[in-house]
Amino acid sequence: AVSFLSDFCLIAIQENNETSLLDCHPLIREYFAVQLRSFNLRGWHNGHGRLYSHLYRAAPSCTRRSRMNLLDLTLSKGVSEYPKPSLNDLVPLYQAIGHGCQAGLHQEALQKVFRDRILGASSWDGNYGGIDHGAFDLALSAMANFFQTPWQQVTQRLNKWDQNWVLSAAGWWLACRGRCSEAAVPSHSVLEFNESRKKNWTGASVAAANLSDIEVAVGNLPSAARYAEKSIAYAERAGALYFFSAGSPSIIHSHYASILFQSGLFQSGRKFEAQEHFQMAVEIQARNQIHTILRGVPGFKYNEFRLCQTELAAWRATCGGNLVLQEQLADYSSTIDEAVEHSEMTISGSEWEILHDALANLLLGCAGLYRHVLNGRRSGALSSGSEHANLAVSGLQRAQRMQHIPAGLL
């Protein structure tokens, strides 16, 4: 009988160490799954509940780290001294989420598995913004279990605040994967939710900042600037001088300044306004007890802004052959030195900060190229810049932040 079924590809037989393993065709599994769910819902819940419990226990011990323990160690020693679980270590937990939701345990699966185990062990800040594995597709696949309609309507089995959190996380990860039109829907819902509460200004600030990022990605700078202005206003109302958050005022000011500078390429006067906001970001960050300089994306944007005139001079020298006066060369070299020193200070070499290091290397690669061109292509800066550029592209690909990869490749 088994051979007959195998001949028609209805089952698969795998020989393994003198034992035979049987598996049925996926369509057969799907048929009996529908039958079980339709006529024995209690059995369906119990079966998925057992698989959920098994996978939760099967995950290795390195995933049993609480977010508070991680934060305590981060504040005292730094994230680089905390071993990071591999993606394979987290796979059983991602699988457990699907089975937990099928068992009707949405609230428990979100809190106990997604937040406490997956994010608590793999995220540098214990929140969705700190995932640095590049596991966005896997995270989105697991997150889809909490939606009745993907990225629009969250299951009612979660409380209101967790529904808001799920929408926010989904919007962030979709944006990181370059799916901006899909990301805008949950991000708008999050902003409306936090605005309607009238007291959660921190959440509204983060939501507005995320929407600003989305608008930048699609090239809508005026709309991005409006959301950034909202984000700054909400952050100031919240007094949100908190650590490790996408809504930190230093990050928001640097983001807004970058938008103003980009739009300033076409609208005169915005550059000086951008400079003021960058300076505010630097001053706010200097009061941080952990990192006193802008790092990661804000640090990259800040140094990119500082090097804008240097880049322009390098392009002119390349395209038109314009000579750079000696006094100008001294100013450009000084600016490059300052940006290089800042970027080198932010490189940690930690698996927790792949994106931060990649952007720092990208800036160092650009600085090496500018120095080489402005010195009449006589310096040895090009080889060093090329090495940093290759490290930047490799890091950006590992981090899988789609919005930054083109800059590295260019």
Side-chain angles (χ1 to χ4, degrees), residues 240-315:
L241 292 173
Y242 44 88
F243 302 148
F244 311 122
S245 172
S248 174
S250 64
I251 296 177
I252 293 171
H253 277 290
S254 65
H255 175 72
Y256 182 46
S258 176
I259 295 169
L260 291 177
F261 173 59
Q262 292 175 66
S263 61
L265 296 176
F266 306 97
Q267 302 173 26
S268 60
R270 304 310 296 266
K271 177 184 174 181
F272 300 102
E273 190 178 347
Q275 187 171 1
E276 292 179 1
H277 280 278
F278 269 127
Q279 189 58 40
M280 292 176 67
V282 170
E283 293 173 358
I284 292 172
Q285 191 66 38
R287 299 198 292 269
N288 189 301
Q289 298 179 15
I290 308 301
H291 302 296
T292 57
I293 61 174
L294 293 174
R295 308 169 69 250
V297 176
F300 175 75
K301 290 178 178 178
Y302 174 53
N303 285 315
E304 189 179 36
F305 173 78
R306 291 203 290 183
L307 289 174
C308 64
Q309 293 300 323
T310 305
E311 180 185 10
L312 181 60
W315 274 110

Side-chain angles (χ1 to χ4, degrees), residues 142-154:
M143 185 63 70
N145 290 284
F146 299 105
F147 283 84
Q148 292 178 342
T149 304
W151 322 135
Q152 296 181 30
Q153 185 177 2
V154 183

